Amino acid sequence: MAEVNPFSLSGTQYSQHWPSLVSPDYWLNKGFILATGQPKAAWRWAPGTTFLSTQRAVLTGVVLYLTMVFGGQMIMKKVAKPIRMKRVTQLHNLTLTLISGFLLLAFLEQCLPVWRDKGFFFTICGAESWTQPMEVIYYLNYLTKWLEFIDTILLVLKKKRLEFLHYYHHSLTMVLCFEELLGRVSVAWIICSINLFVHVIMYYYYFLASCGKKVWWKEIVTTLQIAQFVVDLGLCYFCLYTHITFHAVVSLPSVGADCRGTRLAAYYGCVLLSSYLLLFVQFFIKTYIKEEKGGYLGFRPMNYDDLKAKKPVEQKVEKTE
């Protein structure tokens, strides 16, 4: 979208906006000092140098991931019993719940003060809204997409059937986060924040399920995912339209401003998120909307499993009568 300009490092020392005990920025800085011996403000995203920052690395990751999906399924067909790694699954789901919550708070700590002082439009389009503290969080969020590949490994080992939506979403979301880093798309912060909010709920649901808990609100997770993409697409198309109309040769209705980020990243995000919305709606209809008479539309009642177990018996009685 708009031409990418280097961000200013002025004021990065003021990136901690909350008290130290509850400030993600404070703890991130402590983590950087412990791991690298340097403060967080010294870190830079450098394509070709930073870990997993090249297109070759991303492409290799996608190819290896898909190879693991299809190759792993072929191998597991020859294995007599599923490999259930209950403790690993629990730890994985709980870890991603906590990481997602931490990164969500990190985004909010940086963006809410800017939203308050300069307005919402500046946070999603402003050329100076992409800052070094934000770039750190974007990069960490990008790394979590690699960590989420473990979801698929665990499902393959359990010999679970994988929907196309599962591996399509996992692989290309990692690519999307990489493109957002390359393109420095300002609106990405709210897309990432909503996604992290949904992931807190989703991975907590998975954690409870892996602990053997009966959780009735699976439909709510899918509904939140669909709502997420509706909001994301509204923002993405608005920002892309704002950019196009700002640079249009002919006069078009516009807000008279530009949006930061590369056009390639904007196009990729709009197309990919549109496909996600269609696939998740299709999944919702297939999974939760019952076609038979008397079925449930949308959320099932809490005693749905009991009702479902009784239904075949009731139908059999009707036939014998």
Side-chain angles (χ1 to χ4, degrees), residues 4 14 39 53 57 103-104 123 125 129 133 150 154 217 265 279 285:
V4 177
Y14 304 117
S53 65
L103 292 179
L104 171 61
T123 67
C125 281
S129 62
I150 296 176
L154 294 172
W217 38 271
L279 288 170
I285 294 173

Side-chain angles (χ1 to χ4, degrees), residues 207-219:
F207 171 71
L208 292 177
S210 65
C211 292
K213 305 290 184 180
K214 289 187 177 180
V215 188
W216 61 269
W217 38 271
K218 180 181 178 182
E219 292 93 331

Side-chain angles (χ1 to χ4, degrees), residues 186-217:
S186 294
V187 73
W189 80 267
I190 195 166
I191 294 173
C192 292
S193 295
I194 297 173
N195 179 253
L196 289 166
F197 171 75
V198 173
H199 276 201
V200 170
I201 298 173
M202 182 183 75
Y203 280 108
Y204 182 62
Y205 162 79
Y206 288 149
F207 171 71
L208 292 177
S210 65
C211 292
K213 305 290 184 180
K214 289 187 177 180
V215 188
W216 61 269
W217 38 271

Side-chain angles (χ1 to χ4, degrees), residues 1-2 239-259 263 267:
M1 292 166 17
C239 292
L240 180 58
Y241 176 82
T242 299
H243 166 70
I244 291 174
T245 54
F246 182 81
H247 293 278
V249 177
V250 296
S251 178
L252 294 171
S254 69
V255 297
D258 201 357
C259 274
R263 191 171 294 188
Y267 286 146

Side-chain angles (χ1 to χ4, degrees), residues 50-123:
T50 306
F51 180 61
L52 297 177
S53 65
T54 65
Q55 293 178 337
R56 174 178 292 184
V58 171
L59 179 60
T60 301
V62 171
V63 171
L64 289 177
Y65 172 75
L66 295 177
T67 301
M68 179 270 298
V69 170
F70 299 110
Q73 287 180 323
M74 292 177 63
I75 293 173
M76 290 305 297
K77 285 181 180 179
K78 301 178 181 179
V79 178
K81 295 182 179 180
I83 301 174
R84 303 186 184 279
M85 305 176 70
K86 185 175 180 181
R87 296 301 181 190
V88 174
T89 301
Q90 292 172 351
L91 178 61
H92 173 69
N93 292 328
L94 182 59
T95 299
L96 280 173
T97 300
L98 297 175
I99 290 176
S100 298
F102 180 83
L103 292 179
L104 171 61
L105 293 175
F107 272 118
L108 295 179
E109 181 181 16
Q110 299 304 318
C111 294
L112 291 182
V114 179
W115 187 343
R116 178 195 61 209
D117 297 337
K118 299 185 178 181
F120 179 68
F121 181 81
F122 178 85
T123 67

Side-chain angles (χ1 to χ4, degrees), residues 15-297:
S15 58
Q16 182 184 333
H17 300 285
W18 296 350
S20 298
L21 186 62
V22 295
S23 169
D25 186 81
Y26 172 82
W27 293 109
L28 279 175
N29 189 53
K30 290 292 185 182
F32 269 81
I33 294 174
L34 181 64
T36 67
Q38 294 182 318
K40 178 173 64 68
W43 182 87
R44 300 291 182 274
W45 161 260
T49 302
T50 306
F51 180 61
L52 297 177
S53 65
T54 65
Q55 293 178 337
R56 174 178 292 184
V58 171
L59 179 60
T60 301
V62 171
V63 171
L64 289 177
Y65 172 75
L66 295 177
T67 301
M68 179 270 298
V69 170
F70 299 110
Q73 287 180 323
M74 292 177 63
I75 293 173
M76 290 305 297
K77 285 181 180 179
K78 301 178 181 179
V79 178
K81 295 182 179 180
I83 301 174
R84 303 186 184 279
M85 305 176 70
K86 185 175 180 181
R87 296 301 181 190
V88 174
T89 301
Q90 292 172 351
L91 178 61
H92 173 69
N93 292 328
L94 182 59
T95 299
L96 280 173
T97 300
L98 297 175
I99 290 176
S100 298
F102 180 83
L103 292 179
L104 171 61
L105 293 175
F107 272 118
L108 295 179
E109 181 181 16
Q110 299 304 318
C111 294
L112 291 182
V114 179
W115 187 343
R116 178 195 61 209
D117 297 337
K118 299 185 178 181
F120 179 68
F121 181 81
F122 178 85
T123 67
I124 63 173
C125 281
E128 297 178 0
S129 62
W130 185 282
T131 63
Q132 188 270 346
M134 289 285 288
E135 196 164 72
V136 172
I137 308 170
Y138 282 125
Y139 177 66
L140 294 175
N141 182 68
Y142 162 63
L143 292 182
T144 65
K145 302 311 170 188
W146 290 81
L147 182 61
E148 289 172 12
F149 285 170
I150 296 176
D151 293 356
T152 310
I153 296 174
L154 294 172
L155 291 175
V156 169
L157 292 176
K158 293 176 185 177
K159 304 181 75 170
K160 295 287 187 179
R161 180 176 176 271
L162 293 179
E163 298 280 349
F164 168 76
L165 171 59
H166 177 90
Y167 50 83
Y168 175 81
H169 176 261
H170 267 342
S171 58
L172 294 186
T173 298
M174 183 269 286
V175 180
L176 176 61
C177 290
F178 173 75
E179 289 297 331
E180 288 173 344
L181 269 167
L182 284 182
R184 291 181 175 176
V185 182
S186 294
V187 73
W189 80 267
I190 195 166
I191 294 173
C192 292
S193 295
I194 297 173
N195 179 253
L196 289 166
F197 171 75
V198 173
H199 276 201
V200 170
I201 298 173
M202 182 183 75
Y203 280 108
Y204 182 62
Y205 162 79
Y206 288 149
F207 171 71
L208 292 177
S210 65
C211 292
K213 305 290 184 180
K214 289 187 177 180
V215 188
W216 61 269
W217 38 271
K218 180 181 178 182
E219 292 93 331
I220 296 179
V221 176
T222 308
T223 303
L224 285 174
Q225 290 172 315
I226 293 173
Q228 163 193 344
F229 297 128
V230 171
V231 175
D232 289 350
L233 285 171
L235 291 168
C236 287
Y237 280 110
F238 167 77
C239 292
L240 180 58
Y241 176 82
T242 299
H243 166 70
I244 291 174
T245 54
F246 182 81
H247 293 278
V249 177
V250 296
S251 178
L252 294 171
S254 69
V255 297
D258 201 357
C259 274
R260 181 189 179 120
T262 61
R263 191 171 294 188
L264 175 62
Y267 286 146
Y268 179 73
C270 288
V271 172
L272 186 64
L273 292 173
S274 296
S275 69
Y276 285 173
L277 178 59
L278 293 175
L279 288 170
F280 270 91
V281 169
Q282 181 186 48
F283 174 79
F284 186 92
I285 294 173
K286 176 183 176 182
T287 307
Y288 305 121
I289 298 182
K290 300 300 178 179
E291 295 180 354
E292 66 267 24
K293 184 178 179 180
Y296 300 100
L297 177 64

